[in-house]
C-alpha cells in the first residue's frame, strides 16, 4: 500500500535506542536493504539514487511537519526543516520524472479495483514522490501525527481519539518519563 510506503520512507529516520537518531539510509548498504524490504524492483542501487532519495525524504518530512500543525513536529525535524516552498518544488520535480504507467489491480476477493502507478527501475524516486503527493493530498493526512514520546522521531497515523504515540513501547516510555518527573519533583 502506498500509504505504508510513504510512512516507512519518512520513518527511515528513527530513534536509535540510545538517545540519538538513526538514519536507515545513511549509506548505500542501508539504502539497499530498505529498498529490498519495500518489495520494489530497483536494478541499480547506488550513491546517486541514495542521495536523491534522501533529499526527497527531507522534503517529505518538511511537508509532514506542515501537515501535523498545530501539533508538534518530529524532534528530528525541529530546527532543520527544508523551507516549505523548496520542499513542494522538489517533490513536484521528482514526481514529474515518472514516465510510468497506471496499472489496474483487481484481486478476486476484492469488490473494487484499484489503480497503482508502476514506475520503471530508474524512476524509484519519482514513484516515492508520487506516493507522497497522493498521501499528502489524500484523506489520511488529517490523521498524521508526530510521536510525542521522549526521543521518538517517527510520524504515524492516529488510529483512535486518544492515541498519542506511534507504538506501545513509545507510550510506555512516555508514561515512565512522566512518572519519573512526578516522583523526582515531589521527592
Amino acid at each position: 500500500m502506498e500509504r505504508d510506503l510513504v510512512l516507512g520512507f519518512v520513518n527511515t529516520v528513527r530513534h536509535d535506542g540510545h538517545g540519538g537518531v538513526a538514519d536507515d539510509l545513511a549509506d548505500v548498504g542501508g539504502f539497499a536493504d530498505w529498498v529490498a524490504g519495500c518489495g520494489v524492483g530497483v536494478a541499480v542501487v547506488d550513491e546517486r539514487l541514495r542521495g536523491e532519495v534522501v533529499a526527497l525524504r527531507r522534503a517529505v518530512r518538511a511537508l509532514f511537519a506542515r501537515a501535523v500543525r498545530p501539533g508538534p513536529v518530529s524532534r528530528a525535524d525541529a530546527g532543520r526543516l527544508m523551507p516549505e516552498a523548496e520542499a513542494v518544488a522538489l517533490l513536484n520535480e521528482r514526481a514529474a520524472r515518472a514516465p510510468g504507467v497506471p496499472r489496474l489491480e483487481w484481486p478476486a476477493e476484492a469488490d473494487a479495483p484499484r489503480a497503482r502507478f508502476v514506475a520503471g527501475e530508474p524512476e524509484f524516486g519519482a514513484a516515492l514522490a508520487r506516493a507522497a503527493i497522493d498521501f499528502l493530498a489524500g484523506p489520511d493526512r488529517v490523521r498524521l501525527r508526530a510521536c510525542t514520546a521522549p526521543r521518538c522521531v517517527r510520524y504515524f497515523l492516529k488510529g483512535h481519539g486518544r492515541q498519542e504515540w506511534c507504538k506501545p513501547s513509545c507510550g510506555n516510555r512516555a508514561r515512565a518519563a512522566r512518572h519519573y518527573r512526578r516522583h523526582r519533583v515531589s521527592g
Side-chain angles (χ1 to χ4, degrees):
M1 175 176 266
E2 289 182 354
R3 176 186 73 194
D4 296 332
L5 175 64
V6 174
L7 286 170
F9 175 49
V10 298
N11 287 329
T12 55
V13 172
R14 59 182 173 73
H15 178 254
D16 69 0
H18 304 290
V21 175
D23 182 352
D24 293 338
L25 310 182
D27 57 37
V28 174
F31 177 57
D33 290 345
W34 180 75
V35 169
C38 291
V40 179
V42 178
V44 179
V45 176
D46 59 11
E47 183 57 35
R48 180 200 58 78
L49 181 59
R50 187 197 74 81
E52 286 185 7
V53 169
V54 167
L56 179 62
R57 179 187 62 191
R58 187 168 174 243
V60 174
R61 287 184 68 91
L63 298 172
F64 270 33
R66 179 178 180 177
V68 300
R69 284 188 203 142
V73 303
S74 166
R75 288 174 183 86
D77 298 327
R80 58 183 203 117
L81 288 170
M82 178 183 286
E84 291 171 9
E86 184 180 331
V88 168
L90 178 65
L91 187 64
N92 287 332
E93 182 270 325
R94 294 290 164 80
R97 291 182 185 179
V101 296
R103 178 181 170 140
L104 183 68
E105 294 179 349
W106 202 336
E109 66 278 357
D111 291 334
R114 79 176 192 143
R116 186 172 70 114
F117 178 79
V118 179
E121 166 270 314
E123 301 304 330
F124 180 64
L128 285 173
R130 285 197 174 183
I133 288 170
D134 288 345
F135 176 85
L136 288 164
D140 286 326
R141 184 194 74 254
V142 297
R143 297 184 318 139
L144 184 67
R145 301 290 186 276
C147 184
T148 59
R151 300 183 311 273
C152 189
V153 297
R154 297 172 60 100
Y155 286 98
F156 69 98
L157 291 181
K158 188 172 185 169
H160 57 81
R162 296 185 61 192
Q163 184 179 1
E164 299 178 47
W165 307 290
C166 64
K167 53 190 176 182
S169 60
C170 281
N172 292 340
R173 196 168 53 250
R175 285 186 287 276
R178 192 169 48 236
H179 175 79
Y180 177 77
R181 279 192 308 272
R182 262 185 279 165
H183 290 286
R184 185 169 185 226
V185 171
S186 63

